[in-house]
Amino acid sequence: MIKYIGSKRVLVPRIVELVSGFGGDVRTVLDAFSGTSRVGHALKKAGYRVTANDHNAYAHCLGRCYVQADGARVREDALRVLAELREVKPEAGYFTETFCVQARFFHPKNGARVDAMRDRIAEMDLDPDVEAVVLTSLMEAADRVDSTCGVQMAYLKKWAPRAAKDLELRLPDIIDGEGTALMLDAADLPEAGEWDLAYLDPPYNQHKYRNNYHVWETLVRWDAPPAYGVAMKRADCKEYQSPFNRKGQIADAFADLCARLPAKRLVVSFSDEGYLPRQQILDILEPLGDVTAFDHEFKRYVGAQIGIYNPSGEKVGKVSHLQNREFIFVVDR
Ligand SMILES: C[S@@+](CC[C@H](N)C(=O)[O-])C[C@H]1O[C@@H](n2cnc3c(N)ncnc32)[C@H](O)[C@@H]1O
């Protein structure tokens, strides 16, 4: 899966364990801020009927691949398309010019392959779930040869060694069975269905996911948008807002969503680095039902491990801490 800030890679087994603690009372689960969809993917694997939701197009594509697509139905077609794409002749276009020349997220030789493969996918008029599987394969292949620290706000001054490798398409780990992927603002979820349990993992600070992963948004939308700045971000990054990225709005948005979501149980993830302190989260959740809280200590994301450098590559600052705590709250109403 792609590198993703705030991804619950390490916590997935714990989340599945907490959900399974409800036994047969829980069969349908909503992953309301799905990101990479790794939580929904693990829950689908564990036998739950999952709905993944995220407001960004690239995350919706991951949700269609890992949660919505029925492996038994799409696997053969996806393998056939991937085999065809591996043979497509590289041809530089918007992606190469924008993300490999103007910015340097990928080596131009891989950029030209992305351009040619993505154009071919657009021409193929594929079944939407097969298309999502193939686009996820392309996104993950590009992610393995990128030259970043895991976010697309900047690229490395010197090429990362992995950027010299050849982009290689692999079949994502799709699962047999049904699921649903939505692309809604979380505030609209209460009108979109009912679930036995909802898992909430909202953003917790000012960094917008659309900005951090703008290259994936463009790769999935394939709309060649005007781009700006050193990182060549999509022009719409400037307009796009989530109340969960705003200090003055997150508490109300979170409280409103929890109160209105038609789900009898909630499992909620937050980090101690976020806008909402632990006690404030408890104050929001406790009126809704019985709350149990769990804390987990983790190493911080790779940027914090590496340190703070100026544009000339000199170490300039001190990282304040290398550990962070993740909170999980379980609410039974
Ligand atoms: C912390 S990440 C989720 C990570 C995910 N659990 C994983 O393990 O990969 C938060 C996600 O919320 C999405 N998001 C932010 N604001 C949103 C909103 N208002 N409605 C829906 N999704 C939103 C972001 O695009 C991002 O993918």
Side-chain angles (χ1 to χ4, degrees), residues 179-217:
T180 304
L182 304 173
M183 193 172 119
L184 295 176
D185 189 290
D188 296 326
L189 285 169
E191 287 76 46
E194 278 182 29
W195 300 271
D196 297 328
L197 183 146
Y199 172 63
L200 307 184
D201 183 19
Y204 51 83
N205 61 24
Q206 76 278 18
H207 298 298
K208 292 190 268 177
Y209 278 83
R210 172 77 59 102
N211 296 23
N212 275 337
Y213 299 102
H214 64 94
V215 178
W216 302 149
E217 191 71 10

Side-chain angles (χ1 to χ4, degrees), residues 4 7-8 33-36 54-56 184-186 201 203 209 242:
Y4 206 61
S7 174
K8 295 297 166 292
F33 300 86
S34 54
T36 59
D54 200 290
H55 66 172
N56 282 318
L184 295 176
D185 189 290
D201 183 19
Y209 278 83
S242 168

